[in-house]
């Protein structure tokens, strides 16, 4: 995936202990060794006590290999996997607040929202907040298109979440 | 306090009351390195704990198993900036292998076990445990005993894998067929206790060993195939062997910039094959491209290597190395000169101290160094003959480490081998970072033979200023007093020793060195020897900064290639015939002997 916001991107999935300071250990490792995090998301996993993290990291393959090795060394990191882009589903959610002037502009925004199968989740007289979910390219492209029509007031992106296709999984067993 | 109160009457625990927590951490490391087992340091909360940060970092970069265990304010006050609270778990995160804050006393036992296991296993390293006051005094209500064997999900150091024998087989193909294979031994060999296997390997292959500073001692410097330390301040002969190597077997080393020189020109033979065995996957391929990567504990890996090698030899295998033809000449070259003259100020030339120390050193004696020129002289010249008898701060290069590590080392040998002496090679600058611990050695009856190489400067930095900054000695002159920079040296180390009730010996002439060392050795107590060193002595030759392993700055401060001293090794029978006397023209050693005299003539 070559993409304006994520050039040279690799996706790394991690299963980690859900204990205080673990995020700091992980991001600290990146900072200390000069690796770039393009995106990081975290949440509960299927198993209590373990969190699932998706990191979008930038760098050539040697760098990504070093990153996964260094992550593996952290005691609180249970599993690390470099997820090949071919066999992985990647999703991102973005919330975008745009400023609208008049009915016509509103109509235009709504039609684009429909086209991208996005959702308008909050509508007021001058503002619409849109939720768009998809691969990072879809989100980027939506933002491009919508910003051509109306001014954007605020963007909140979740960062990338990734899961492998088929049977393969990053789990304890 | 509750902790110390608990151990007050415990006769099995020896508490050494250090005067500063950083030093307690370094002492724990000295102990750990000699024993090959955990060293423990206990401190109070807040400033006590933050004082151990440098010690933890030092242990982290040198892979030493230590535990620092500090008090903390009660759990309910954490986060409120209570008196003597500090976020030490946060502060130590990047420099520990693992760290913990214990919130429930019922987890305490498990955490201790886990922490000790993590510190000692795989690639060893420091662990930190933060223990809040209320947890220290809480009653423990464990229903079941803590399990004997600890299993930690997510922590499985790769000590062996089924791929190893196959990779070893490939490695042997390279090594047996190479003309000039070289073994590069790192500190990992000592951690893995694989020194016997290494020695046996060398005795079969008859190929040279060069080592990193951390690898010093893993094989005896007296061994005919051991050429010495590699790298920036390495021996010429060791760097030469590395430059000529067509196969490199790297054992437990991380190819740090100090030993590779310019990475673009490493290895010297661009088609050389590199075999790298290390327990830390992340070290393989990190700095140099490797042809045969082997992730394993060194001991079983070398055992496997030996077994396969012996099998091959039984079945008519041949080792094709040509080293046996030149190794003796190479080993005889680049020796340690006995510099009996003085320098331009009439003071002792550092090589002399190393020469005499070599003479008095017993194989079981332990040598500890501070950081700077003193360390490089020691690493370069001293004959260390056993693993775990050489202790020096490598990765971090912490001035002040040495004296305390020596204290820990002395405590450790007093348990295992009371006959052995502990020698500290110190710089005057480094020693001033830690001299308050003279009080510890006096009161706890710990013996360290301290040799302060007093060159009146932060010598290693001054050396760089002399060589690369036009002799502008900014911020490195320790004998400069007042705005006019009158030359006078404070403190008087002899009076200082006296203040702590210890004997001090000042050595100002080369001829006095030996007697001083002997006197210290005989003494029952710590002795402080101050050797007045020629101030502008340099550790030369050295690699040119940024240069490759073959590009030197000689003692005469000329830019030289290693090939000005050693001819390229012959690769064909034809070349071989003509190659006899090309080895090792030691032109620049004369410089040392002439150094003082030249000035006098002027
Ligand atoms: C804690 C610490 N501070 C600063 C340095 C930078 N440094 C490296 S060597 C050196 C000089 C050491 O002087 P001294 O102990 O007198 O040893 P010498 O080189 O003179 O033998 C300095 C300042 C360091 N390594 N560690
Ligand atoms: Mg000095």
């Amino acid at each position: 995936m070559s993409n304006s916001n994520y050039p040279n991107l690799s996706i790394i999935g991690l299963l980690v202990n859900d204990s205080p300071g673990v995020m700091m250990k992980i991001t600290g490792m990146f900072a200390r060794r000069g690796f770039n995090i393009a995106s990081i998301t975290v949440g509960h996993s299927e198993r209590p006590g373990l969190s699932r993290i998706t990191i979008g990291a930038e760098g050539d393959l040697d760098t990504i290999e070093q990153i996964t090795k260094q992550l593996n060394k952290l005691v609180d990191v249970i599993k690390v996997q470099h997820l090949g882009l071919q066999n992985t589903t990647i999703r991102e959610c973005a919330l975008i607040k745009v400023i609208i002037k008049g009915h016509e502009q509103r109509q235009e925004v709504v039609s684009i929202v429909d086209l991208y199968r996005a959702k308008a989740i909050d509508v007021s007289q001058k503002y619409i907040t849109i939720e768009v979910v998809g691969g990072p390219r879809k989100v980027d492209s939506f933002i491009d298109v919508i910003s051509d029509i109306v001014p954007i007031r605020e963007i909140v992106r979740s960062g990338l979440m990734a899961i492998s296709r088929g049977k393969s999984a990053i789990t304890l067993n | 306090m509750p902790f110390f109160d608990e151990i007050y009457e415990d006769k099995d625990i020896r508490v050494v009351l250090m005067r500063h927590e950083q030093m307690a951490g370094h002492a724990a490391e000295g102990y750990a390195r000699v024993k090959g087992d955990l060293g423990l340091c206990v401190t109070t909360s807040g400033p006590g704990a933050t004082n151990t940060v440098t010690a933890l970092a030092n242990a982290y970069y040198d892979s030493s198993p230590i535990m620092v265990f500090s008090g903390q304010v009660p759990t309910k006050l954490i986060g409120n900036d209570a008196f003597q609270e500090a976020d030490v778990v946060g502060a130590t995160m990047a420099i520990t292998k693992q760290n913990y804050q214990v919130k429930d006393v019922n987890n305490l036992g498990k955490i201790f076990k886990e922490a000790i296991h993590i510190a000692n296993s795989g690639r060893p390293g420091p662990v930190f445990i933060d223990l809040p006051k209320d947890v220290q005094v809480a009653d423990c209500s464990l229903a079941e005993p803590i399990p004997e064997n600890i299993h930690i999900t997510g922590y499985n150091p790769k000590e062996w894998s089924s791929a190893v024998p196959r990779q070893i087989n490939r490695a042997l193909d390279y090594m047996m067929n190479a003309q000039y294979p070289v073994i590069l031994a790192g500190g990992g060999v000592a951690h893995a206790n694989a020194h016997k296997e290494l020695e046996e390997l060398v005795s079969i292959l008859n190929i040279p060993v060069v080592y990193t500073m951390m690898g010093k001692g893993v094989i005896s410097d007296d061994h005919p195939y051991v050429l010495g330390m590699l790298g920036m301040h390495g021996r010429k002969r060791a760097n030469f062997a590395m430059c000529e190597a067509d196969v490199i077997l790297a054992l437990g080393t991380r190819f740090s910039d100090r030993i590779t020189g310019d990475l673009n020109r490493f290895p010297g033979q661009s088609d050389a094959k590199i075999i790298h065995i290390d327990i830390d996957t992340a070290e393989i391929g990190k700095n140099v491209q490797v042809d045969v990567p082997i992730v394993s504990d060194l001991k079983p890996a070398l055992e496997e290597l030996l077994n396969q090698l012996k099998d091959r030899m039984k079945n008519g295998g041949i080792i094709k190395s040509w080293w046996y033809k030149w190794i003796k000449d190479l080993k005889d070259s680049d020796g340690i000169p006995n510099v009996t003259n003085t320098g331009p100020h009439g003071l002792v030339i550092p090589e002399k101290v190393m020469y005499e120390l070599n003479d008095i050193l017993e194989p079981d004696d332990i040598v500890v160094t501070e950081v700077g020129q003193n360390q490089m002289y020691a690493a370069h010249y001293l004959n260390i003959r056993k693993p775990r008898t050489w202790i020096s701060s490598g990765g971090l290069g912490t001035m002040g480490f040495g004296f305390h590590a020596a204290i820990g080392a002395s405590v450790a040998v007093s348990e295992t081998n009371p006959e052995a002496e502990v020698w500290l090679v110190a710089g005057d600058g480094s020693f001033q970072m830690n001299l308050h611990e003279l009080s510890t050695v006096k009161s706890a009856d710990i013996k360290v033979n301290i040799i302060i190489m007093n060159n009146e400067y932060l010598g290693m930095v001054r050396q760089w200023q002399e060589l690369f900054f036009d002799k502008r000695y900014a911020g490195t002159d320790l004998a400069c007093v007042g705005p006019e920079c009158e030359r006078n040296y404070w403190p008087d180390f002899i009076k200082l020793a006296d203040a702590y009730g210890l004997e001090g010996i000042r050595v100002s002439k080369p001829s006095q060195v030996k007697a001083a060392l002997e006197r210290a050795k005989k003494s029952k107590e710590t002795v402080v020897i101050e050797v007045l060193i020629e101030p502008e002595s340099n550790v030369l030759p050295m690699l040119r900064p940024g240069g490759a392993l073959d590009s030197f700055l000689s003692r005469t401060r000329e830019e030289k290639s290693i090939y000005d001293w050693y001819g390229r090794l012959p690769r064909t029978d034809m070349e071989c015939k003509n190659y006899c006397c090309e080895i090792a023209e030691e032109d620049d050693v004369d410089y040392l002997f002439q150094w003082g005299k030249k000035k006098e003539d002027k």
Side-chain angles (χ1 to χ4, degrees), chain B residues 245-257:
Chain B
D246 47 7
V247 168
I248 297 161
L249 172 63
L251 306 173
T253 166
R254 59 194 173 94
F255 287 102
S256 99
D257 53 292

Side-chain angles (χ1 to χ4, degrees), chain A:
Chain A
M1 171 175 45
S2 82
N3 188 291
S4 55
N5 278 324
Y6 301 106
N8 219 355
L9 181 78
S10 292
I11 301 287
I12 301 168
L14 298 100
L15 198 62
V16 306
N17 281 330
D18 177 13
S19 49
V22 173
M23 278 301 268
M24 190 164 150
K25 282 183 188 169
I26 290 167
T27 51
M29 190 284 289
F30 274 81
R32 183 162 69 88
R33 296 192 179 266
F35 300 137
N36 280 329
I37 300 183
S39 138
I40 184 164
T41 59
V42 59
H44 295 301
S45 71
E46 68 287 344
R47 191 182 272 257
L50 297 185
S51 304
R52 175 63 179 257
I53 296 178
T54 306
I55 294 178
E58 285 168 1
D60 54 25
L61 280 181
D62 286 346
T63 310
I64 301 300
E65 189 183 329
Q66 233 336 277
I67 291 176
T68 52
K69 283 174 171 178
Q70 294 292 350
L71 286 170
N72 239 323
K73 276 170 67 169
L74 300 175
V75 177
D76 285 310
V77 172
I78 314 281
K79 283 216 166 155
V80 182
Q81 200 177 324
H82 177 192
L83 295 166
L85 297 172
Q86 253 69 44
N87 301 313
T88 306
T89 305
I90 303 172
R91 285 292 173 270
E92 185 175 22
C93 174
L95 304 177
I96 302 152
K97 189 178 287 181
V98 297
I99 307 171
I100 40 169
K101 274 199 213 113
H103 181 70
E104 209 169 292
Q105 244 184 9
R106 179 172 302 154
Q107 278 310 323
E108 214 174 340
V109 166
V110 167
S111 67
I112 304 243
V113 164
D114 286 345
L115 194 65
Y116 277 84
R117 277 181 284 163
K119 263 193 252 169
I121 53 174
D122 177 48
V123 182
S124 62
Q125 216 178 7
K126 275 169 113 183
Y127 299 97
I128 300 185
T129 301
I130 303 155
E131 170 198 295
V132 54
V133 178
R137 223 185 299 194
K138 172 171 164 187
V139 174
D140 281 347
S141 129
F142 178 81
I143 293 170
D144 274 356
V145 171
I146 205 85
S147 63
D148 270 354
I149 309 168
V150 284
I152 291 180
R153 174 138 173 86
E154 188 178 14
I155 297 183
V156 182
R157 292 176 77 147
S158 67
L160 308 178
M161 291 183 293
I163 194 162
S164 46
R165 298 214 171 95
K167 181 175 174 229
S168 131
I170 307 176
T171 53
L172 256 190
N173 28 46

Side-chain angles (χ1 to χ4, degrees), chain B residues 301-332:
Chain B
L302 287 185
E303 280 166 359
E304 174 69 24
L305 189 70
L306 282 168
N307 285 340
Q308 288 194 23
L309 177 59
K310 286 178 196 163
D311 265 0
R312 287 191 185 207
M313 299 303 281
K314 250 187 249 146
N315 296 316
I318 303 172
I319 293 154
K320 300 201 178 141
S321 155
W322 278 17
W323 279 117
Y324 70 92
K325 302 178 195 218
W326 331 111
I327 193 74
K328 186 166 183 316
D329 287 343
L330 203 53
K331 177 89 186 182
D332 287 346

Side-chain angles (χ1 to χ4, degrees), chain B residues 484-553:
Chain B
E484 304 300 320
C485 202
E486 265 175 73
R487 292 204 74 73
N488 217 332
Y489 201 91
W490 305 105
D492 179 328
F493 286 111
I494 307 306
K495 279 191 191 157
L496 185 83
D498 189 45
Y500 285 99
L502 296 168
E503 181 178 354
I505 307 171
R506 181 169 287 133
V507 169
S508 54
K509 294 199 187 81
S511 58
Q512 300 166 337
V513 177
K514 190 183 177 77
L517 298 180
E518 278 169 355
R519 192 175 163 89
K521 183 172 174 169
K522 282 212 195 81
S523 167
K524 292 256 171 299
E525 273 194 322
T526 289
V527 172
V528 179
I529 302 171
E530 179 195 26
V531 185
L532 303 183
I533 296 285
E534 194 55 44
E536 291 184 288
S537 305
N538 289 328
V539 196
L540 289 171
M542 69 181 280
L543 288 193
R544 289 209 299 276
L549 281 182
D550 63 359
S551 61
F552 275 83
L553 212 54

